[in-house]
Amino acid sequence: MVTSDTTLAHHAAPPTTADGLLRRAEDLVPVLRAASDDIERARRLPTEVVGQMRAAGIFRMGVPAERGGPGLDSVQQTQVVEILARGDASAAWCAMIGMDTPLYAQFLPESVAREELGDPDTVTAGLILPLGRAERVPGGYRVTGRWQFGSGITHADWVVAGCLVHREGKPEPGPQGAPGNWRIMIARREEFEVLDTWHTTGLAGSGSNDYRAQDLFVPEEHSFSLGAPRVKGPHASPEAILRNMPGVPLGVARAALDHVRERAAGRIDRTTGTPWPQTYRVQMAVAECEMDLGAARHAVYGSLRRQARLLQAGTEMSPDERVDTVLARVNSFRVARSVVTRLYDLMATTAVYRPSPLDRWLRDLTTMRQHVIAQDQILQSAGAFLLGGTPHNPFSLGIVA
């Protein structure tokens, strides 16, 4: 699956700069592409692939320099994820999820953060939404629940699980009178039972299985609220864990466009005998796809850079500035699937036969498009926020009660 020369290339020390990590990500693109069939069949990332991603420093991309990482910002993280997605969507998705450890660490006590980040390549998985129940007990919580979409849980070191806190059997009120006290628990993967539920249309290799716990004790210091960061700064916002998500759809759509353009060079229109590069419908399809993808990509990176400047300056963001990255994020998923759908139709029956990767790319985008962060409720929340209404999903806007 992976050639020995590529394996040797990753024996070097992990990169300590953004440029170094971007180069390592580029090196992984052909490796991941060659492994894509194995990744999909396994319904998880194979051990060898995970090892190469760790060795390349992928999972440490957000770890600050003082803890042994390259300290990539949100723009650079999105670039790394986008590059990896050109190789394999599931691997990029797992990279995007697995590198969240340093983000969570900013909400945890310093002692726990040191323990988790003793190895900068620590991988985190899990769902932060409060689907579980945490009963307060002396020293911590007894946690019971079942969570979905544990992307990368098959190779994770730590797992997070969102819970509503109860005391003596009754729900605790949240801060400022919120209806519930939402806290996130973090524990070793072995402390959860992973369920083999990930039989899906796309992103099959992400291993996004369900997982559950029954009466699991979690110490108080291994829990946190997204509304109370220990560390202040631009990366301590709850919304920070969402910023690099657009890298996956953008990278998949880029790979599809490159694939079709390469094949168009040697194709002939069967009806007219005209080479594809001289065929009007092909020219229009490619140009429009490039136009749409380029606009979506510029919106993502432009909004992230504007957000970074405002956060760095400590400026209070206006409603329009707050939803800027949100709208660009949702649009990236929509545009990417639209682009690949059009390319799939352009290639017609050729797209359905292996080894064409277009079918997998379309299925991957269809599945990731179902993620809550790409749904209409996010647009409703943005619109409501702009108009002074009530957002249905305030978390997507970085608002945590």
Side-chain angles (χ1 to χ4, degrees):
M1 178 178 62
V2 183
T3 60
S4 58
D5 58 331
T6 305
T7 301
L8 290 172
H10 291 297
H11 282 171
T16 58
T17 65
D19 287 345
L21 190 45
L22 288 165
R23 286 194 296 271
R24 291 288 185 91
E26 286 284 2
D27 290 343
L28 281 173
V29 170
V31 176
L32 295 175
R33 191 164 292 178
S36 282
D37 287 342
D38 293 332
I39 291 171
E40 186 167 45
R41 278 192 297 267
R43 293 185 298 111
R44 59 181 292 173
L45 295 191
T47 301
E48 188 175 5
V49 170
V50 174
Q52 290 206 316
M53 291 173 68
R54 284 185 191 270
I58 298 301
F59 297 115
R60 66 169 63 195
M61 69 174 94
V63 176
E66 61 268 24
R67 294 195 182 276
L72 271 61
D73 61 25
S74 297
V75 169
Q76 295 162 336
Q77 291 172 20
T78 305
Q79 290 173 326
V80 170
V81 172
E82 183 182 14
I83 291 169
L84 295 174
R86 291 179 8 231
D88 182 80
S90 291
W93 191 268
C94 288
M96 177 266 296
I97 296 290
M99 59 72 58
D100 283 340
T101 309
L103 296 176
Y104 296 139
Q106 296 178 95
F107 295 88
L108 290 163
E110 175 65 22
S111 59
V112 178
R114 282 199 307 269
E115 177 187 351
E116 293 186 17
L117 292 178
D119 177 1
D121 299 305
T122 294
V123 177
T124 308
L127 186 70
I128 63 174
L129 297 180
L131 302 185
R133 173 176 175 148
E135 185 74 28
R136 277 197 187 273
V137 297
Y141 306 87
R142 289 288 177 184
V143 174
T144 297
R146 176 168 173 163
W147 298 263
Q148 293 178 290
F149 311 119
S151 300
I153 199 169
T154 53
H155 58 264
D157 304 298
W158 290 84
V159 173
V160 294
C163 294
L164 289 177
V165 178
H166 289 64
R167 186 190 296 269
E168 297 179 352
K170 297 180 181 180
E172 278 190 357
Q176 290 87 47
N181 185 7
W182 169 22
R183 287 189 72 78
I184 299 166
M185 310 293 155
I186 184 164
R188 296 281 184 184
R189 181 187 60 175
E190 309 86 68
E191 298 183 82
F192 292 93
E193 180 185 4
V194 179
L195 308 172
D196 186 15
T197 56
W198 194 241
H199 300 267
T200 57
T201 299
L203 284 183
S206 66
S208 304
N209 291 296
D210 290 11
Y211 58 104
R212 65 186 174 196
Q214 180 67 43
D215 201 32
L216 170 65
F217 176 72
V218 176
E220 175 69 36
E221 62 269 22
H222 278 74
S223 72
F224 61 97
S225 167
L226 284 174
R230 172 181 53 83
V231 179
K232 305 300 181 182
H235 300 299
S237 164
E239 177 263 350
I241 66 174
L242 309 176
R243 293 176 191 161
N244 60 13
M245 291 186 72
V248 187
L250 292 177
V252 173
R254 179 71 265 162
L257 255 169
D258 291 345
H259 172 80
V260 170
R261 288 176 60 176
E262 288 173 6
R263 273 136 191 85
R267 287 178 68 95
I268 303 292
D269 189 286
R270 292 181 180 179
T271 303
T272 65
T274 305
W276 265 31
Q278 302 300 327
T279 301
Y280 181 83
R281 68 179 181 87
V282 178
Q283 295 166 341
M284 285 296 295
V286 169
E288 288 183 344
C289 286
E290 288 284 4
M291 176 179 67
D292 292 345
L293 181 59
R297 188 173 186 273
H298 281 289
V300 165
Y301 285 104
S303 66
L304 286 174
R305 290 188 176 100
R306 284 190 295 274
Q307 180 191 61
R309 287 195 296 269
L310 292 167
L311 290 172
Q312 195 66 46
T315 305
E316 182 67 27
M317 287 192 285
S318 68
D320 290 84
E321 290 166 341
R322 180 70 66 86
V323 304
D324 196 14
T325 56
V326 177
L327 296 177
R329 186 183 306 130
V330 175
N331 188 55
S332 69
F333 284 88
R334 292 186 169 204
V335 168
R337 187 173 70 171
S338 174
V339 164
V340 175
T341 298
R342 180 158 189 183
L343 295 172
Y344 191 96
D345 290 343
L346 178 66
M347 298 299 290
T349 53
T350 303
V352 307
Y353 288 101
R354 293 184 179 181
S356 170
L358 276 169
D359 185 70
R360 180 171 57 244
W361 286 329
L362 182 58
R363 289 186 286 106
D364 287 341
L365 284 165
T366 297
T367 294
M368 71 178 79
R369 175 69 174 79
Q370 308 315 307
H371 193 283
V372 63
I373 214 65
Q375 295 294 299
D376 288 348
Q377 64 173 273
I378 307 303
L379 295 181
Q380 178 279 330
S381 296
F385 192 69
L386 291 173
L387 296 171
T390 303
H392 289 175
N393 193 323
F395 174 72
S396 68
L397 307 177
I399 304 169
V400 179

